[in-house]
Amino acid sequence: MQVLELGDPRRMGDFTLIGRLGVGGMGQVFLGRSAGGRAAAVKVVKAELAEVPEFRARFRQEVAALHRVGGEWTAPVLGADTEAVAPWVATEYVPGPSLQQVVESGYGPLPEATVHALAGRLARALRAIHGAGLVHRDLKPSNILLTVDGPRIIDFGIARALDTVAGSLRTSTGVVLGSPGFMSPEQVRGQRVTPAADMFSLGSVLVYAATGRLPFGSPELGLHALMFRIAEEEPDLTGVPQTLTGLVAACLAKDPQRRPTAEQLAVHTGTDTDGPWLPAELLAELGRLAARMLTAETPPQGSPTPTRSTRRRWPALATAVALAAVATGTVLALHDDGEKDPATGGAPAAVSNSASPSAEPGVPDEFVGAWEGVVEGDSDLPKRVLRLEISPGTTGDKAAAYIDTDGDAQCTGRSKLLSADADTLVVGKGQVTARVPQGSCTPLSEQTLKVRSRDVLVWKSGGLTADFYRSAGGRDAVPDQYVGTWVPANETYREKELIRIAQGPIGGRLVRMSVTAGMDDGTEQYCDSTFVIGAVSPVLALSPAMYTAQSGKGCRQPDSVFLTVGRDGHLLLYSMAADAEPAEYVRKS
């Protein structure tokens, strides 16, 4: 957020403007606050658009339609004045990062279960928008905000008002009738746009959420080439989970008549997961950021101050939570289960470790952070590695997120805090939120953690005991010694196998493997796969393989993989699928 500039309005209707959020095709977007303290994104129309009678008439119609949407996963309209010298509309400010911020500069591509939930919830949001007679026309990752209880679509409907003046203002600065990477073929061709265009954009959004890339290539490769591929070529669905390819391919049909409607998609997709809909790493970071903001001060009214994150990790999330604090005058803790506290008028209850006679026991600071340990086997021959993310919280809160990388599965989940004192933490049985591969995951049993030293915890659960050590998190969690491209140490196989390890956060698909094998009949079979990183120390723990491309039916590696770097700098790969010595790799020169 930026401070208000000289000449910026200080008030629009009942909303006090306290900062600049950005600029769009219509005009400037401000952060506002109602008299009751409710945060709002206030969009003020550009002067040159406000002077066009056709635009103002269409804008008036669109705002009236927006009032009718009331979708479960959209940002509702809080106020508007279409007759003012500078027309404006205020929608609810959503305190969460955009899908683009999470994928590009934070978490990375989202897990399969999360993308499924995203598809179902966005379908229901579009159903509400289309049911109100609106077409979004610019559905893209930056217009989808992620919160602990679901996604929110913003900036819907207004784009159609620009159509009335597109002939005279199409080349004006900032006037965009769609985002190239997410436009439909009919938008590219300048044809009539219907709700089916939003469904095509939804297909592109889901590819982006699952893989981190666009189905028709990057705009950086050339705008005209990108538009040609959207209009004429088939999408590249490499890396999209098989359970999603049918749904995505249907949305990306060139013929609008062949795409599913939002209603049809909503009927055939779910919105629920076995637990929180977002990955544990992301939920844990949202919780930590909210708790750290409990002591944030609200700047005096009329003296807007820019909000800055004090941590290097997850800057987009820090900014989103900070803006919510400035806008409302209070900071609310984020509960991943969306529970409300009646004592706060329906708002989520705040998390605090402050001692008081009536306060519930909170998580001591000594426990807060990321911890990892080998719970079966050892660092020389790991068989099971567990990562815990302990967040601030009180009894009953889901304060422990975990990723359990076992021999044949990787299970992600959360556990509630049962009790806490100065040196002991007890969390309950886990609730599974995601799994690789899809199938059954056994939740973790009750866990007990005791402080041994500042950087070591003694972990006990289900008859197992292990030492847990503090671990890295955030965008740069992967140790540098792993990052790069690796080939087999045996020169005979160097042209047949490749491992690429990228830097990024825990829970991301950061490891890719390509293997080409000769068959008995003289042909060759290839297997390309990705792996989710579940832990980074003392070993790199990877999920079972998720195949993105293959020939034949021989690509089967059902078990997890563990990587270490030896003293000689060689990468050692342990696979529970192979009862043999670890495979050895060297950096590709």
Side-chain angles (χ1 to χ4, degrees):
M1 182 180 71
Q2 298 176 333
V3 298
L4 294 175
E5 297 179 358
L6 187 65
D8 282 342
R10 264 38 183 189
R11 190 173 188 85
M12 302 301 291
D14 293 332
F15 296 90
T16 300
L17 306 187
I18 58 178
R20 283 175 157 235
L21 290 176
V23 64
M26 284 178 51
Q28 184 70 46
V29 184
F30 298 95
L31 180 64
R33 181 173 55 204
S34 71
R38 192 171 185 180
V42 183
K43 304 174 183 67
V44 181
V45 172
K46 291 179 179 179
E48 61 265 35
L49 288 174
E51 293 174 357
V52 179
E54 294 85 354
F55 173 85
R56 190 181 284 268
R58 178 59 66 88
F59 179 62
R60 187 182 301 116
Q61 295 172 7
E62 296 301 321
V63 169
L66 290 177
H67 278 287
R68 300 196 305 269
V69 173
E72 190 174 357
W73 288 293
T74 60
V77 175
L78 304 181
D81 188 347
T82 60
E83 309 307 319
V85 174
W88 60 273
V89 59
T91 56
E92 181 181 53
Y93 178 77
V94 180
S98 71
L99 176 61
Q100 179 181 1
Q101 289 170 321
V102 169
V103 172
E104 288 191 2
S105 60
Y107 178 82
L110 299 176
E112 184 173 349
T114 296
V115 180
H116 271 286
L118 182 69
R121 298 176 189 210
L122 292 180
R124 284 154 178 78
L126 288 175
R127 178 174 63 185
I129 294 171
H130 296 165
L134 300 174
V135 180
H136 192 292
R137 295 171 179 252
D138 197 19
L139 185 66
K140 57 185 178 181
S142 61
N143 279 340
I144 299 169
L145 303 184
L146 305 185
T147 73
V148 291
D149 60 348
R152 299 289 188 274
I153 293 181
I154 61 173
D155 289 343
F156 52 93
I158 296 298
R160 191 166 69 177
L162 292 173
D163 281 356
T164 60
V165 291
S168 59
L169 294 178
R170 185 181 297 274
T171 58
S172 297
T173 301
V175 177
V176 179
L177 302 183
S179 299
F182 299 92
M183 292 171 70
S184 66
E186 51 268 36
Q187 286 175 292
V188 168
R189 297 183 180 119
Q191 298 171 340
R192 179 174 175 266
V193 174
T194 68
D198 287 344
M199 302 310 295
F200 190 94
S201 298
L202 175 60
S204 297
V205 164
L206 295 178
V207 173
Y208 174 83
T211 68
R213 56 175 180 76
L214 304 181
F216 299 97
S218 170
E220 296 175 357
L221 301 178
L223 183 59
H224 294 293
L226 173 61
M227 290 188 171
F228 174 82
R229 289 194 292 269
I230 290 173
E232 303 296 338
E233 296 184 356
E234 293 303 311
D236 178 5
L237 302 185
T238 301
V240 176
Q242 292 183 353
T243 55
L244 287 163
T245 52
L247 178 154
V248 170
C251 289
L252 293 176
K254 301 297 184 190
D255 183 355
Q257 298 298 322
R258 300 186 62 182
R259 298 172 203 152
T261 64
E263 174 64 32
Q264 291 170 335
L265 195 61
V267 169
H268 290 92
T269 55
T271 62
D272 297 327
T273 59
D274 291 336
W277 82 288
L278 288 174
E281 167 81 5
L282 181 51
L283 282 172
E285 190 64 25
L286 279 169
R288 285 195 298 272
L289 286 167
R292 283 201 303 273
M293 292 303 297
L294 281 169
T295 57
E297 295 183 0
T298 303
Q301 186 170 345
S303 302
T305 303
T307 304
R308 296 185 177 90
S309 169
T310 58
R311 289 175 64 101
R312 179 174 56 84
R313 301 194 307 163
W314 301 88
L317 305 190
T319 301
V321 177
L323 287 176
V326 173
T328 61
T330 58
V331 180
L332 305 177
L334 303 178
H335 290 265
D336 58 304
D337 54 2
E339 295 176 0
K340 307 297 182 182
D341 182 0
T344 60
V351 176
S352 174
N353 289 335
S354 301
S356 68
S358 60
E360 292 285 348
V363 175
D365 292 341
E366 289 80 2
F367 290 94
V368 174
W371 304 84
E372 293 181 353
V374 178
V375 299
E376 292 187 43
D378 53 45
S379 57
D380 292 328
L381 187 59
K383 296 181 179 179
R384 182 180 179 187
V385 177
L386 181 65
R387 176 182 174 88
L388 292 175
E389 286 268 2
I390 308 297
S391 303
T394 57
T395 302
D397 288 339
K398 293 180 179 177
Y402 67 85
I403 303 179
D404 185 5
T405 306
D406 204 343
D408 59 358
Q410 186 181 84
C411 306
T412 300
R414 292 184 69 80
S415 301
K416 289 186 178 181
L417 177 66
L418 298 183
S419 65
D421 58 34
D423 62 358
T424 304
L425 199 71
V426 180
V427 296
K429 182 179 179 180
Q431 179 185 37
V432 176
T433 61
R435 54 186 66 82
V436 179
Q438 289 295 311
S440 61
C441 264
T442 302
L444 278 179
S445 302
E446 181 179 298
Q447 304 169 71
T448 301
L449 300 113
K450 290 182 176 291
V451 175
R452 172 174 289 174
S453 66
R454 183 176 181 275
D455 295 318
V456 183
L457 297 178
V458 178
W459 173 90
K460 293 183 179 181
S461 178
L464 297 173
T465 300
D467 287 342
F468 274 46
Y469 301 87
R470 284 199 178 273
S471 181
R475 298 176 56 193
D476 303 319
V478 179
D480 291 338
Q481 64 262 33
Y482 290 101
V483 176
T485 301
W486 303 82
V487 295
N490 188 328
E491 294 184 6
T492 304
Y493 300 102
R494 287 192 181 173
E495 300 301 321
K496 303 293 185 180
E497 195 168 338
L498 202 67
I499 298 176
R500 297 182 179 87
I501 303 176
Q503 182 57 268
I506 308 299
R509 295 191 193 186
L510 304 176
V511 179
R512 298 181 180 274
M513 179 183 290
S514 300
V515 179
T516 303
M519 308 302 290
D520 293 339
D521 60 2
T523 62
E524 288 189 335
Q525 175 177 294
Y526 66 86
C527 303
D528 290 344
S529 55
T530 60
F531 302 81
V532 174
I533 292 184
V536 294
S537 61
V539 299
L540 210 65
L542 310 181
S543 69
M546 296 174 285
Y547 293 100
T548 58
Q550 58 183 306
S551 62
K553 298 181 179 180
C555 299
R556 295 190 61 82
Q557 183 180 320
D559 290 348
S560 302
V561 172
F562 301 99
L563 303 176
T564 62
V565 175
R567 294 180 180 178
D568 56 2
H570 290 190
L571 184 72
L572 301 178
L573 183 151
Y574 302 83
S575 172
M576 299 298 102
D579 186 15
E581 292 296 315
E584 190 172 350
Y585 297 81
V586 296
R587 288 190 180 275
K588 184 178 180 182
S589 56

